[in-house]
Amino acid sequence: MNAEPDDLMRAIEATLFASDVPMSAADLRLHVGDGGDVPALLARLAADYAGRGINLVERGGRWHFQTAADLAHILRREKEESRRLSRAAMETLAIISYHEPVSRAEIEAIRGVQVGKGTLDVLMEAGWVRPAGRREVPGRPLTYATTPAFLTHFGLASRRDLPGIDDLRAAGLLDPVDLALESAMAGSRSDADPEADGDNPVQSVVEMDDEDA
Amino acid sequence: MNAEPDDLMRAIEATLFASDVPMSAADLRLHVGDGGDVPALLARLAADYAGRGINLVERGGRWHFQTAADLAHILRREKEESRRLSRAAMETLAIISYHEPVSRAEIEAIRGVQVGKGTLDVLMEAGWVRPAGRREVPGRPLTYATTPAFLTHFGLASRRDLPGIDDLRAAGLLDPVDLALESAMAGSRSDADPEADGDNPVQSVVEMDDEDA
Amino acid sequence: MEDLFLAAERPADPDRLTVSFDAWEGPLDLLLALARTQKVDLREISILALVEQYLDFIDGARQLKLELAADYLVMAAWLAYLKSGLLLPRDEQIDPSPEELALRLQLRLQRLQAMREAGARLMARDRLGRDVFPRGAPEGLRIGRKAAWDASLYDLIQAYGQVRARTQPAVHVVSRRAVMTLDEAIQRVEALVGSRVEWTLLARFLPEGIDAALGRSALASSFVAALELARQGKVDIRQDGIFAPLYLRAANGRAEAQT
């Protein structure tokens, strides 16, 4: 790109840039006029842009600009976003992990609220839950189970490592909702306690249906 | 365009070229990575393209490629002209851009007529004007300001580039009438007094953040 | 616009006039158009001359029986007032002075003119999509967002604990709170008021030495009791102002009847 671009070349450059379709030398002449050697200028332009991030290329007699092929990867970036599971998804995952293989109807019976289809989709997309065959009962419901990736993510050697009901009770995690509500209302744990959010039973009472992830 | 473009510069060039919206340096870093002086390379790229048929321009901190202005005659598309702004919309846009943030009542005070409901709608639909919060005075009126798309469309690097804004300000023509009246009645202090600007508390209240682009 | 104005100045030839006030966006716009005909800088404009121009114009329009919007007439009235103020000898001081009003009008015209010019200059810039063009067919950029789900083992077991806790039968116990019932309070207040003729604070009717919770209940009940007794004509209630203390005494009639 050393040469001083002359007006016709600038016009060709701009026209190709602004056009939404590739253009032949004849198409270009309709815009920039007849007074010059359009093919030669196209060749010069192509040489100017060789090695840059943008290239001028010819395909079947039509010219267009495109980004350099070796840079395609930066135009399509994947970005990882850390997202928290919704409460519905978390509870559903917990039920599957404790009761697997378990059907959707069974999950709903345990949760006490319906399980949206999106909730299971999120868990499967996360790679933590898989379909685990059909149960041989009327309706042949699909059952769900956890995956090895689930164990890996939660740092478990096996499902037996999950704390049992007695452990949960001892940890206060089975406290009836009303009691938990009272202590939450007492205020001491509301703001400062980082777990208060997940803990807050008011939310689980109010939120009847699951918000899908 | 003499220097051999390095990889990061090529990546920036390709990304801006492929993008269908103007991009800030931060936007670019999402694609090209953090490992380089993006602003410096943008300046270098802009210099590379100066004088060509395509230019790299900055508008309100965001960069995009566009055709050179002097080539408008070969590229201009007549159909775009069919949707001309009404005079009311044009004046309202001018008032908002020179006075922002500005309330509807203030716009009406300058134009001497009510601002029709459609006028602000048209400007917001065009993406040039946005609501800019409420003014903390009785009635808490909503104020309006321009958007980055406004700068992009009108080819302004920042609001400081608004045509004649410095002259208008120096002449006191961006001051409210009451304030101008006061200083005119006071007589000795002329409108053009450069000190008047910083000196006057009324003005600093009315022009909330006139300076930021 | 200038043509329209000139036409309007010749009301003698009404057939030629097809003036529509839609051509102006309000009186200020019309004034600015008239001011331009003075062909001087707006700062040197003769407001008096402008006022006359406007009044003539409105007059002409009226003779043509054009329907004028109210705001044009309001402006005309205001300008007529301004004109008389500017012309009459000024012995009496009126506030604001006609000069100030004239200056204010001039400043408003300058501001409108400034914004009108600014708008025109803005529109004349090299506008994207009209004079300069973005790339015709950009490939577009894509950032694929891949969710990395975040959950800890604690979240998991806690969620399970909550599910179980929620589905366990809950036992509700309503704790008993000390209250004074309304019946109790009516009996008490009625008995204590007796035939008392002097005004007595409502608070005096509460039991002594009760705790705060019961005290609040007793106060609320006693207040309602007092209202009920007043309704029955057994007590009078007095309050000297909003939130002021309440006083009770035996109702006048009853007290008198007993004395």
Side-chain angles (χ1 to χ4, degrees):
Chain A
M1 278 188 148
N2 298 321
E4 193 58 35
D6 64 24
D7 279 348
L8 186 55
M9 188 162 121
R10 291 178 70 238
I12 293 171
E13 190 177 26
T15 305
L16 283 172
F17 174 84
S19 170
D20 51 9
V21 290
M23 296 178 91
S24 65
D27 297 334
L28 281 165
R29 277 196 201 94
L30 289 178
H31 280 269
V32 303
D34 286 327
D37 187 349
V38 173
L41 288 170
L42 281 167
R44 243 183 79 195
L45 263 179
D48 275 5
Y49 278 95
R52 294 197 68 93
I54 308 169
N55 301 149
L56 180 60
V57 294
E58 186 209 342
R59 299 279 181 266
R62 293 170 184 277
W63 296 77
H64 70 277
F65 279 111
Q66 65 180 30
T67 50
D70 64 311
L71 294 170
H73 66 283
I74 61 161
L75 307 182
R76 309 261 176 278
R77 267 288 144 88
E78 288 249 303
K79 199 174 147 219
E80 287 233 320
E81 279 189 337
S82 180
R83 294 176 64 184
R84 282 185 71 82
L85 279 186
S86 70
R87 164 174 295 272
M90 201 68 239
E91 289 185 4
T92 303
L93 179 63
I95 292 166
I96 295 172
S97 64
Y98 273 87
H99 296 267
E100 74 178 47
V102 61
S103 71
R104 182 150 143 191
E106 289 159 351
I107 297 170
E108 289 175 348
I110 297 170
R111 267 196 86 206
V113 283
Q114 287 206 327
V115 174
K117 179 159 161 28
T119 305
L120 283 163
D121 286 349
V122 163
L123 295 174
M124 288 195 275
E125 186 208 316
W128 292 338
V129 164
R130 64 185 164 89
R134 296 190 178 274
R135 180 154 294 153
E136 291 307 332
V137 296
R140 300 187 68 241
L142 194 61
T143 63
Y144 298 90
T146 54
T147 62
F150 164 82
L151 296 177
T152 310
H153 180 91
F154 290 95
L156 298 163
S158 82
R159 280 183 52 246
R160 278 188 296 278
D161 287 358
L162 284 170
I165 291 291
D166 291 340
D167 301 316
L168 293 178
R169 184 171 292 120
L173 289 170
L174 280 189
D175 285 352
V177 167
D178 278 344
L179 281 185
L181 180 66
E182 287 230 324
S183 56
M185 298 296 272
S188 57
R189 36 200 307 221
S190 56
D191 291 324
D193 183 353
E195 256 96 61
D197 186 29
D199 231 29
N200 193 337
V202 178
Q203 199 178 345
S204 62
V205 171
V206 171
E207 167 222 330
M208 299 304 282
D209 197 8
D210 45 334
E211 60 317 7
D212 290 352
Chain B
M1 275 186 147
N2 297 321
E4 192 59 33
D6 65 22
D7 280 347
L8 184 55
M9 190 160 121
R10 289 182 70 237
I12 292 170
E13 190 178 25
T15 306
L16 284 172
F17 192 74
S19 174
D20 45 14
V21 289
M23 297 180 86
S24 67
D27 297 336
L28 281 164
R29 282 198 197 92
L30 284 179
H31 283 269
V32 303
D34 286 325
D37 187 348
V38 173
L41 288 169
L42 281 166
R44 242 183 79 194
L45 264 178
D48 276 5
Y49 277 94
R52 294 198 69 94
I54 309 170
N55 300 147
L56 178 60
V57 294
E58 184 198 356
R59 305 287 183 243
R62 304 183 310 161
W63 297 76
H64 71 272
F65 280 109
Q66 65 181 30
T67 57
D70 64 309
L71 297 170
H73 62 284
I74 60 161
L75 300 169
R76 186 165 285 150
R77 296 162 197 178
E78 274 74 26
K79 58 183 178 193
E80 306 283 346
E81 276 292 318
S82 60
R83 265 195 70 203
R84 283 181 63 110
L85 282 186
S86 69
R87 191 145 66 85
M90 223 162 79
E91 282 177 23
T92 303
L93 180 62
I95 292 168
I96 293 173
S97 59
Y98 283 76
H99 290 82
E100 73 176 49
V102 63
S103 71
R104 179 191 277 255
E106 288 158 350
I107 298 169
E108 289 174 347
I110 294 172
R111 296 200 64 230
V113 281
Q114 291 208 326
V115 174
K117 185 160 164 19
T119 305
L120 281 165
D121 283 358
V122 162
L123 296 176
M124 287 198 275
E125 194 196 326
W128 296 336
V129 164
R130 65 186 164 88
R134 296 186 179 277
R135 181 154 294 155
E136 292 304 332
V137 296
R140 302 189 68 239
L142 193 61
T143 63
Y144 296 89
T146 53
T147 62
F150 164 79
L151 297 177
T152 303
H153 182 88
F154 289 97
L156 301 160
S158 77
R159 280 189 57 244
R160 269 181 280 269
D161 283 359
L162 283 168
I165 192 169
D166 290 337
D167 295 340
L168 290 175
R169 185 173 290 132
L173 286 169
L174 299 183
D175 298 342
V177 167
D178 285 333
L179 179 67
L181 192 68
E182 220 168 82
S183 52
M185 299 299 275
S188 59
R189 280 175 59 175
S190 80
D191 283 339
D193 184 354
E195 305 288 287
D197 228 292
D199 256 17
N200 207 311
V202 181
Q203 186 180 6
S204 57
V205 168
V206 173
E207 295 181 38
M208 304 281 266
D209 56 359
D210 203 305
E211 295 304 326
D212 339 19
Chain C
M1 195 178 300
E2 223 160 86
D3 291 341
L4 290 176
F5 165 65
L6 291 175
E9 270 204 325
R10 290 191 295 266
D13 190 4
D15 295 340
R16 287 187 51 205
L17 186 66
T18 51
V19 63
S20 154
F21 274 75
D22 294 343
W24 286 279
E25 296 203 32
L28 198 64
D29 188 21
L30 172 55
L31 272 167
L32 186 56
L34 294 171
R36 287 220 194 90
T37 64
Q38 291 191 18
K39 294 193 170 42
V40 289
D41 189 310
L42 276 183
R43 280 170 299 188
E44 286 148 31
I45 196 169
S46 159
I47 288 293
L48 196 55
L50 180 61
V51 167
E52 270 164 6
Q53 280 174 285
Y54 184 91
L55 294 176
D56 283 351
F57 189 94
I58 293 294
D59 211 34
R62 274 170 149 172
Q63 286 181 25
L64 290 169
K65 298 191 171 56
L66 281 179
E67 205 157 301
L68 282 181
D71 47 349
Y72 287 90
L73 298 176
V74 169
M75 178 65 92
W78 187 82
L79 290 176
Y81 167 77
L82 175 60
K83 179 180 164 186
S84 64
L86 289 170
L87 290 178
L88 291 175
R90 60 195 43 100
D91 358 304
E92 66 220 273
Q93 281 295 320
I94 47 168
D95 192 50
S97 68
E99 287 75 18
E100 186 180 330
L101 292 175
L103 180 57
R104 179 180 286 273
L105 178 59
Q106 191 173 356
L107 291 170
R108 290 190 67 191
L109 289 172
Q110 279 176 28
R111 273 154 186 70
L112 179 59
Q113 170 76 4
M115 283 302 108
R116 186 157 293 173
E117 284 168 2
R121 289 170 77 178
L122 212 47
M123 294 303 139
R125 289 186 63 83
D126 290 326
R127 289 163 60 184
L128 194 67
R130 188 189 70 170
D131 307 297
V132 296
F133 295 87
R135 188 160 168 226
E139 290 94 339
L141 297 171
R142 209 165 52 207
I143 294 191
R145 292 180 198 280
K146 196 172 156 223
W149 295 102
D150 189 24
S152 70
L153 183 58
Y154 177 78
D155 295 334
L156 182 77
I157 61 177
Q158 190 215 37
Y160 189 67
Q162 269 178 26
V163 169
R164 297 307 298 250
R166 194 168 66 217
T167 49
Q168 274 180 6
V171 181
H172 296 274
V173 180
V174 177
S175 58
R176 232 189 132 66
R177 287 190 302 134
V179 292
M180 177 184 279
T181 65
L182 182 55
D183 287 342
E184 238 177 288
I186 289 176
Q187 276 176 23
R188 188 180 166 82
V189 172
E190 188 172 11
L192 287 177
V193 162
S195 55
R196 223 178 265 220
V197 283
E198 71 277 23
W199 290 106
T200 309
L201 265 178
L202 176 65
R204 291 281 175 79
F205 295 94
L206 306 186
E208 304 248 339
I210 53 175
D211 68 22
L214 179 57
R216 279 198 300 276
S217 167
L219 182 61
S221 299
S222 300
F223 170 62
V224 177
L227 292 179
E228 173 61 21
L229 291 169
R231 191 181 69 80
Q232 293 172 12
K234 292 177 182 166
V235 301
D236 290 337
I237 305 180
R238 191 189 96 204
Q239 188 179 32
D240 295 333
I242 296 168
F243 299 120
L246 283 170
Y247 295 91
L248 305 185
R249 69 173 182 195
N252 263 338
R254 190 173 155 214
E256 273 156 23
Q258 286 179 355
T259 44

